[in-house]
mmCIF file of all heavy atoms in Angstrom:
data_model
loop_
_atom_site.group_PDB
_atom_site.id
_atom_site.type_symbol
_atom_site.label_atom_id
_atom_site.label_comp_id
_atom_site.label_asym_id
_atom_site.label_seq_id
_atom_site.Cartn_x
_atom_site.Cartn_y
_atom_site.Cartn_z
ATOM 1 N N TYR X 1 50.239 113.530 186.044
ATOM 2 C CA TYR X 1 50.363 112.533 185.004
ATOM 3 C C TYR X 1 49.012 112.210 184.397
ATOM 4 O O TYR X 1 47.983 112.265 185.078
ATOM 5 C CB TYR X 1 50.951 111.230 185.551
ATOM 6 C CG TYR X 1 52.322 111.362 186.147
ATOM 7 C CD1 TYR X 1 52.491 111.569 187.507
ATOM 8 C CD2 TYR X 1 53.452 111.262 185.348
ATOM 9 C CE1 TYR X 1 53.755 111.682 188.060
ATOM 10 C CE2 TYR X 1 54.717 111.372 185.895
ATOM 11 C CZ TYR X 1 54.864 111.583 187.253
ATOM 12 O OH TYR X 1 56.126 111.691 187.791
ATOM 13 N N ALA X 2 49.036 111.849 183.127
ATOM 14 C CA ALA X 2 47.856 111.274 182.515
ATOM 15 C C ALA X 2 47.562 109.929 183.165
ATOM 16 O O ALA X 2 48.477 109.202 183.570
ATOM 17 C CB ALA X 2 48.065 111.089 181.019
ATOM 18 N N ASP X 3 46.284 109.596 183.278
ATOM 19 C CA ASP X 3 45.909 108.331 183.903
ATOM 20 C C ASP X 3 46.557 107.133 183.208
ATOM 21 O O ASP X 3 46.894 106.141 183.864
ATOM 22 C CB ASP X 3 44.392 108.166 183.899
ATOM 23 C CG ASP X 3 43.699 109.093 184.883
ATOM 24 O OD1 ASP X 3 44.357 109.601 185.808
ATOM 25 O OD2 ASP X 3 42.481 109.308 184.724
ATOM 26 N N SER X 4 46.741 107.221 181.908
ATOM 27 C CA SER X 4 47.265 106.100 181.142
ATOM 28 C C SER X 4 48.723 105.777 181.458
ATOM 29 O O SER X 4 49.181 104.670 181.160
ATOM 30 C CB SER X 4 47.115 106.367 179.642
ATOM 31 O OG SER X 4 47.820 107.535 179.266
ATOM 32 N N VAL X 5 49.456 106.714 182.045
ATOM 33 C CA VAL X 5 50.872 106.486 182.338
ATOM 34 C C VAL X 5 51.178 106.499 183.827
ATOM 35 O O VAL X 5 52.321 106.216 184.218
ATOM 36 C CB VAL X 5 51.777 107.504 181.622
ATOM 37 C CG1 VAL X 5 51.462 107.544 180.132
ATOM 38 C CG2 VAL X 5 51.640 108.892 182.239
ATOM 39 N N LYS X 6 50.205 106.802 184.638
ATOM 40 C CA LYS X 6 50.410 106.882 186.078
ATOM 41 C C LYS X 6 50.928 105.555 186.619
ATOM 42 O O LYS X 6 50.390 104.490 186.311
ATOM 43 C CB LYS X 6 49.107 107.276 186.758
ATOM 44 C CG LYS X 6 49.272 107.939 188.109
ATOM 45 C CD LYS X 6 47.959 108.573 188.572
ATOM 46 C CE LYS X 6 47.542 109.730 187.668
ATOM 47 N NZ LYS X 6 46.291 110.390 188.122
ATOM 48 N N GLY X 7 51.978 105.622 187.407
ATOM 49 C CA GLY X 7 52.589 104.428 187.957
ATOM 50 C C GLY X 7 53.657 103.818 187.088
ATOM 51 O O GLY X 7 54.401 102.938 187.559
ATOM 52 N N ARG X 8 53.755 104.254 185.837
ATOM 53 C CA ARG X 8 54.758 103.722 184.918
ATOM 54 C C ARG X 8 55.795 104.771 184.512
ATOM 55 O O ARG X 8 56.963 104.435 184.304
ATOM 56 C CB ARG X 8 54.101 103.177 183.651
ATOM 57 C CG ARG X 8 53.118 102.043 183.915
ATOM 58 C CD ARG X 8 52.634 101.425 182.606
ATOM 59 N NE ARG X 8 51.904 102.390 181.786
ATOM 60 C CZ ARG X 8 52.257 102.742 180.554
ATOM 61 N NH1 ARG X 8 53.336 102.216 179.987
ATOM 62 N NH2 ARG X 8 51.519 103.612 179.865
ATOM 63 N N PHE X 9 55.362 106.024 184.381
ATOM 64 C CA PHE X 9 56.244 107.107 183.954
ATOM 65 C C PHE X 9 56.559 108.018 185.131
ATOM 66 O O PHE X 9 55.724 108.214 186.025
ATOM 67 C CB PHE X 9 55.587 107.957 182.860
ATOM 68 C CG PHE X 9 55.420 107.280 181.528
ATOM 69 C CD1 PHE X 9 55.630 105.921 181.358
ATOM 70 C CD2 PHE X 9 55.031 108.038 180.424
ATOM 71 C CE1 PHE X 9 55.464 105.311 180.129
ATOM 72 C CE2 PHE X 9 54.861 107.441 179.187
ATOM 73 C CZ PHE X 9 55.077 106.079 179.037
ATOM 74 N N THR X 10 57.748 108.610 185.101
ATOM 75 C CA THR X 10 58.152 109.576 186.111
ATOM 76 C C THR X 10 58.777 110.784 185.435
ATOM 77 O O THR X 10 59.729 110.647 184.670
ATOM 78 C CB THR X 10 59.156 108.972 187.107
ATOM 79 O OG1 THR X 10 58.588 107.823 187.741
ATOM 80 C CG2 THR X 10 59.524 110.004 188.176
ATOM 81 N N ILE X 11 58.242 111.961 185.712
ATOM 82 C CA ILE X 11 58.811 113.196 185.199
ATOM 83 C C ILE X 11 59.690 113.821 186.278
ATOM 84 O O ILE X 11 59.365 113.782 187.462
ATOM 85 C CB ILE X 11 57.708 114.173 184.731
ATOM 86 C CG1 ILE X 11 58.315 115.373 184.005
ATOM 87 C CG2 ILE X 11 56.825 114.618 185.891
ATOM 88 C CD1 ILE X 11 57.274 116.260 183.316
ATOM 89 N N SER X 12 60.819 114.380 185.863
ATOM 90 C CA SER X 12 61.730 115.050 186.781
ATOM 91 C C SER X 12 62.433 116.173 186.038
ATOM 92 O O SER X 12 62.313 116.294 184.816
ATOM 93 C CB SER X 12 62.747 114.064 187.371
ATOM 94 O OG SER X 12 63.542 113.489 186.357
ATOM 95 N N ARG X 13 63.166 116.999 186.771
ATOM 96 C CA ARG X 13 63.871 118.103 186.117
ATOM 97 C C ARG X 13 65.135 118.456 186.875
ATOM 98 O O ARG X 13 65.272 118.192 188.075
ATOM 99 C CB ARG X 13 62.964 119.327 185.986
ATOM 100 C CG ARG X 13 62.527 119.941 187.311
ATOM 101 C CD ARG X 13 61.448 121.004 187.089
ATOM 102 N NE ARG X 13 61.974 122.193 186.447
ATOM 103 C CZ ARG X 13 61.215 123.173 185.932
ATOM 104 N NH1 ARG X 13 59.881 123.070 185.966
ATOM 105 N NH2 ARG X 13 61.784 124.228 185.377
ATOM 106 N N ASP X 14 66.057 119.065 186.147
ATOM 107 C CA ASP X 14 67.291 119.596 186.702
ATOM 108 C C ASP X 14 67.324 121.067 186.312
ATOM 109 O O ASP X 14 67.649 121.411 185.172
ATOM 110 C CB ASP X 14 68.501 118.848 186.154
ATOM 111 C CG ASP X 14 69.804 119.286 186.787
ATOM 112 O OD1 ASP X 14 69.891 120.418 187.297
ATOM 113 O OD2 ASP X 14 70.758 118.493 186.781
ATOM 114 N N ASN X 15 66.975 121.934 187.241
ATOM 115 C CA ASN X 15 66.861 123.351 186.923
ATOM 116 C C ASN X 15 68.202 123.974 186.538
ATOM 117 O O ASN X 15 68.250 124.888 185.715
ATOM 118 C CB ASN X 15 66.249 124.101 188.104
ATOM 119 C CG ASN X 15 64.790 123.761 188.319
ATOM 120 O OD1 ASN X 15 64.086 123.378 187.385
ATOM 121 N ND2 ASN X 15 64.322 123.904 189.550
ATOM 122 N N ALA X 16 69.291 123.495 187.121
ATOM 123 C CA ALA X 16 70.611 124.024 186.795
ATOM 124 C C ALA X 16 70.990 123.739 185.348
ATOM 125 O O ALA X 16 71.783 124.467 184.758
ATOM 126 C CB ALA X 16 71.667 123.457 187.739
ATOM 127 N N LYS X 17 70.441 122.665 184.779
ATOM 128 C CA LYS X 17 70.734 122.282 183.403
ATOM 129 C C LYS X 17 69.608 122.634 182.435
ATOM 130 O O LYS X 17 69.694 122.296 181.254
ATOM 131 C CB LYS X 17 71.021 120.790 183.319
ATOM 132 C CG LYS X 17 72.253 120.358 184.077
ATOM 133 C CD LYS X 17 72.473 118.853 183.965
ATOM 134 C CE LYS X 17 73.720 118.429 184.707
ATOM 135 N NZ LYS X 17 73.938 116.962 184.622
ATOM 136 N N ASN X 18 68.561 123.285 182.918
ATOM 137 C CA ASN X 18 67.402 123.625 182.088
ATOM 138 C C ASN X 18 66.872 122.394 181.355
ATOM 139 O O ASN X 18 66.529 122.457 180.172
ATOM 140 C CB ASN X 18 67.756 124.720 181.076
ATOM 141 C CG ASN X 18 68.000 126.059 181.736
ATOM 142 O OD1 ASN X 18 67.398 126.385 182.752
ATOM 143 N ND2 ASN X 18 68.886 126.848 181.145
ATOM 144 N N THR X 19 66.788 121.299 182.073
ATOM 145 C CA THR X 19 66.458 120.020 181.457
ATOM 146 C C THR X 19 65.327 119.325 182.205
ATOM 147 O O THR X 19 65.297 119.331 183.439
ATOM 148 C CB THR X 19 67.685 119.102 181.416
ATOM 149 O OG1 THR X 19 68.715 119.728 180.638
ATOM 150 C CG2 THR X 19 67.348 117.760 180.793
ATOM 151 N N VAL X 20 64.422 118.726 181.447
ATOM 152 C CA VAL X 20 63.356 117.902 181.991
ATOM 153 C C VAL X 20 63.518 116.488 181.442
ATOM 154 O O VAL X 20 63.961 116.296 180.304
ATOM 155 C CB VAL X 20 61.961 118.476 181.660
ATOM 156 C CG1 VAL X 20 61.706 118.497 180.157
ATOM 157 C CG2 VAL X 20 60.868 117.704 182.388
ATOM 158 N N TYR X 21 63.174 115.500 182.260
ATOM 159 C CA TYR X 21 63.316 114.103 181.900
ATOM 160 C C TYR X 21 61.969 113.392 182.007
ATOM 161 O O TYR X 21 61.090 113.797 182.764
ATOM 162 C CB TYR X 21 64.304 113.393 182.824
ATOM 163 C CG TYR X 21 65.651 114.064 182.917
ATOM 164 C CD1 TYR X 21 65.915 114.980 183.925
ATOM 165 C CD2 TYR X 21 66.655 113.779 182.002
ATOM 166 C CE1 TYR X 21 67.145 115.599 184.017
ATOM 167 C CE2 TYR X 21 67.885 114.391 182.088
ATOM 168 C CZ TYR X 21 68.130 115.302 183.095
ATOM 169 O OH TYR X 21 69.357 115.917 183.182
ATOM 170 N N LEU X 22 61.841 112.317 181.259
ATOM 171 C CA LEU X 22 60.694 111.433 181.389
ATOM 172 C C LEU X 22 61.203 109.999 181.402
ATOM 173 O O LEU X 22 61.643 109.483 180.371
ATOM 174 C CB LEU X 22 59.694 111.632 180.249
ATOM 175 C CG LEU X 22 58.379 110.863 180.392
ATOM 176 C CD1 LEU X 22 57.560 111.419 181.561
ATOM 177 C CD2 LEU X 22 57.570 110.929 179.099
ATOM 178 N N GLN X 23 61.165 109.380 182.568
ATOM 179 C CA GLN X 23 61.516 107.978 182.706
ATOM 180 C C GLN X 23 60.278 107.145 182.415
ATOM 181 O O GLN X 23 59.265 107.290 183.097
ATOM 182 C CB GLN X 23 62.036 107.679 184.108
ATOM 183 C CG GLN X 23 62.389 106.223 184.356
ATOM 184 C CD GLN X 23 63.560 105.757 183.524
ATOM 185 O OE1 GLN X 23 64.582 106.433 183.468
ATOM 186 N NE2 GLN X 23 63.416 104.617 182.866
ATOM 187 N N MET X 24 60.354 106.291 181.411
ATOM 188 C CA MET X 24 59.223 105.498 180.970
ATOM 189 C C MET X 24 59.533 104.027 181.198
ATOM 190 O O MET X 24 60.443 103.475 180.578
ATOM 191 C CB MET X 24 58.913 105.755 179.494
ATOM 192 C CG MET X 24 58.688 107.227 179.167
ATOM 193 S SD MET X 24 58.180 107.499 177.453
ATOM 194 C CE MET X 24 59.657 106.937 176.592
ATOM 195 N N ASN X 25 58.779 103.401 182.083
ATOM 196 C CA ASN X 25 58.936 101.991 182.403
ATOM 197 C C ASN X 25 57.691 101.216 181.991
ATOM 198 O O ASN X 25 56.629 101.787 181.783
ATOM 199 C CB ASN X 25 59.191 101.799 183.900
ATOM 200 C CG ASN X 25 60.441 102.469 184.383
ATOM 201 O OD1 ASN X 25 61.442 102.554 183.662
ATOM 202 N ND2 ASN X 25 60.419 102.941 185.632
ATOM 203 N N SER X 26 57.836 99.908 181.908
ATOM 204 C CA SER X 26 56.718 99.031 181.546
ATOM 205 C C SER X 26 56.003 99.524 180.301
ATOM 206 O O SER X 26 54.769 99.620 180.259
ATOM 207 C CB SER X 26 55.739 98.916 182.717
ATOM 208 O OG SER X 26 56.385 98.420 183.875
ATOM 209 N N LEU X 27 56.771 99.830 179.287
ATOM 210 C CA LEU X 27 56.210 100.416 178.074
ATOM 211 C C LEU X 27 55.266 99.455 177.368
ATOM 212 O O LEU X 27 55.484 98.242 177.351
ATOM 213 C CB LEU X 27 57.326 100.851 177.137
ATOM 214 C CG LEU X 27 58.003 102.162 177.540
ATOM 215 C CD1 LEU X 27 59.354 102.299 176.865
ATOM 216 C CD2 LEU X 27 57.106 103.341 177.188
ATOM 217 N N LYS X 28 54.226 100.031 176.789
ATOM 218 C CA LYS X 28 53.211 99.295 176.053
ATOM 219 C C LYS X 28 53.173 99.784 174.610
ATOM 220 O O LYS X 28 53.557 100.918 174.334
ATOM 221 C CB LYS X 28 51.827 99.511 176.688
ATOM 222 C CG LYS X 28 51.742 99.201 178.164
ATOM 223 C CD LYS X 28 50.387 99.609 178.721
ATOM 224 C CE LYS X 28 50.281 99.321 180.203
ATOM 225 N NZ LYS X 28 48.961 99.755 180.751
ATOM 226 N N PRO X 29 52.686 98.952 173.692
ATOM 227 C CA PRO X 29 52.557 99.414 172.308
ATOM 228 C C PRO X 29 51.741 100.701 172.182
ATOM 229 O O PRO X 29 52.023 101.519 171.296
ATOM 230 C CB PRO X 29 51.860 98.242 171.609
ATOM 231 C CG PRO X 29 52.320 97.051 172.376
ATOM 232 C CD PRO X 29 52.393 97.508 173.809
ATOM 233 N N GLU X 30 50.770 100.903 173.032
ATOM 234 C CA GLU X 30 49.954 102.114 172.989
ATOM 235 C C GLU X 30 50.741 103.366 173.355
ATOM 236 O O GLU X 30 50.254 104.479 173.151
ATOM 237 C CB GLU X 30 48.735 101.978 173.915
ATOM 238 C CG GLU X 30 49.087 101.924 175.390
ATOM 239 C CD GLU X 30 47.879 101.665 176.279
ATOM 240 O OE1 GLU X 30 47.051 100.804 175.912
ATOM 241 O OE2 GLU X 30 47.757 102.313 177.329
ATOM 242 N N ASP X 31 51.943 103.208 173.896
ATOM 243 C CA ASP X 31 52.806 104.349 174.190
ATOM 244 C C ASP X 31 53.547 104.845 172.955
ATOM 245 O O ASP X 31 54.208 105.887 173.013
ATOM 246 C CB ASP X 31 53.824 103.993 175.274
ATOM 247 C CG ASP X 31 53.177 103.676 176.607
ATOM 248 O OD1 ASP X 31 52.237 104.393 177.005
ATOM 249 O OD2 ASP X 31 53.623 102.710 177.266
ATOM 250 N N THR X 32 53.468 104.111 171.858
ATOM 251 C CA THR X 32 54.139 104.517 170.628
ATOM 252 C C THR X 32 53.613 105.864 170.160
ATOM 253 O O THR X 32 52.406 106.043 169.971
ATOM 254 C CB THR X 32 53.941 103.464 169.534
ATOM 255 O OG1 THR X 32 54.587 102.245 169.923
ATOM 256 C CG2 THR X 32 54.529 103.935 168.215
ATOM 257 N N ALA X 33 54.519 106.816 169.977
ATOM 258 C CA ALA X 33 54.138 108.171 169.596
ATOM 259 C C ALA X 33 55.393 109.009 169.428
ATOM 260 O O ALA X 33 56.491 108.593 169.795
ATOM 261 C CB ALA X 33 53.237 108.802 170.662
ATOM 262 N N VAL X 34 55.215 110.198 168.877
ATOM 263 C CA VAL X 34 56.241 111.222 168.947
ATOM 264 C C VAL X 34 56.035 111.989 170.246
ATOM 265 O O VAL X 34 54.927 112.460 170.521
ATOM 266 C CB VAL X 34 56.192 112.181 167.748
ATOM 267 C CG1 VAL X 34 57.246 113.275 167.896
ATOM 268 C CG2 VAL X 34 56.404 111.417 166.452
ATOM 269 N N TYR X 35 57.087 112.091 171.029
ATOM 270 C CA TYR X 35 57.021 112.772 172.313
ATOM 271 C C TYR X 35 57.626 114.163 172.195
ATOM 272 O O TYR X 35 58.740 114.328 171.685
ATOM 273 C CB TYR X 35 57.750 111.955 173.381
ATOM 274 C CG TYR X 35 56.953 110.768 173.856
ATOM 275 C CD1 TYR X 35 56.751 109.670 173.025
ATOM 276 C CD2 TYR X 35 56.372 110.750 175.126
ATOM 277 C CE1 TYR X 35 55.998 108.589 173.438
ATOM 278 C CE2 TYR X 35 55.628 109.664 175.546
ATOM 279 C CZ TYR X 35 55.439 108.587 174.702
ATOM 280 O OH TYR X 35 54.694 107.509 175.130
ATOM 281 N N PHE X 36 56.889 115.155 172.665
ATOM 282 C CA PHE X 36 57.284 116.554 172.573
ATOM 283 C C PHE X 36 57.474 117.159 173.954
ATOM 284 O O PHE X 36 56.663 116.936 174.855
ATOM 285 C CB PHE X 36 56.223 117.378 171.841
ATOM 286 C CG PHE X 36 56.007 116.990 170.409
ATOM 287 C CD1 PHE X 36 55.060 116.042 170.066
ATOM 288 C CD2 PHE X 36 56.744 117.590 169.402
ATOM 289 C CE1 PHE X 36 54.842 115.685 168.751
ATOM 290 C CE2 PHE X 36 56.537 117.246 168.084
ATOM 291 C CZ PHE X 36 55.589 116.292 167.752
ATOM 292 N N CYS X 37 58.513 117.939 174.086
ATOM 293 C CA CYS X 37 58.745 118.743 175.267
ATOM 294 C C CYS X 37 58.134 120.121 175.064
ATOM 295 O O CYS X 37 58.200 120.694 173.970
ATOM 296 C CB CYS X 37 60.250 118.860 175.516
ATOM 297 S SG CYS X 37 60.721 119.935 176.876
ATOM 298 N N ASN X 38 57.532 120.656 176.102
ATOM 299 C CA ASN X 38 56.978 122.005 176.090
ATOM 300 C C ASN X 38 57.331 122.680 177.405
ATOM 301 O O ASN X 38 57.346 122.030 178.452
ATOM 302 C CB ASN X 38 55.461 121.953 175.893
ATOM 303 C CG ASN X 38 54.799 123.308 175.997
ATOM 304 O OD1 ASN X 38 54.088 123.601 176.962
ATOM 305 N ND2 ASN X 38 55.023 124.152 174.994
ATOM 306 N N ALA X 39 57.621 123.978 177.350
ATOM 307 C CA ALA X 39 57.999 124.687 178.569
ATOM 308 C C ALA X 39 57.625 126.149 178.493
ATOM 309 O O ALA X 39 57.627 126.750 177.413
ATOM 310 C CB ALA X 39 59.503 124.552 178.827
#
């Protein structure tokens, strides 16, 4: 994780579904952005 999101965000994946998730908690205005998946 990037230091700025450590402790607040959790990345996980489901390989059977070819899917990755990002659980974002305690969101801050500085988190405002376009979020892109890359694989």
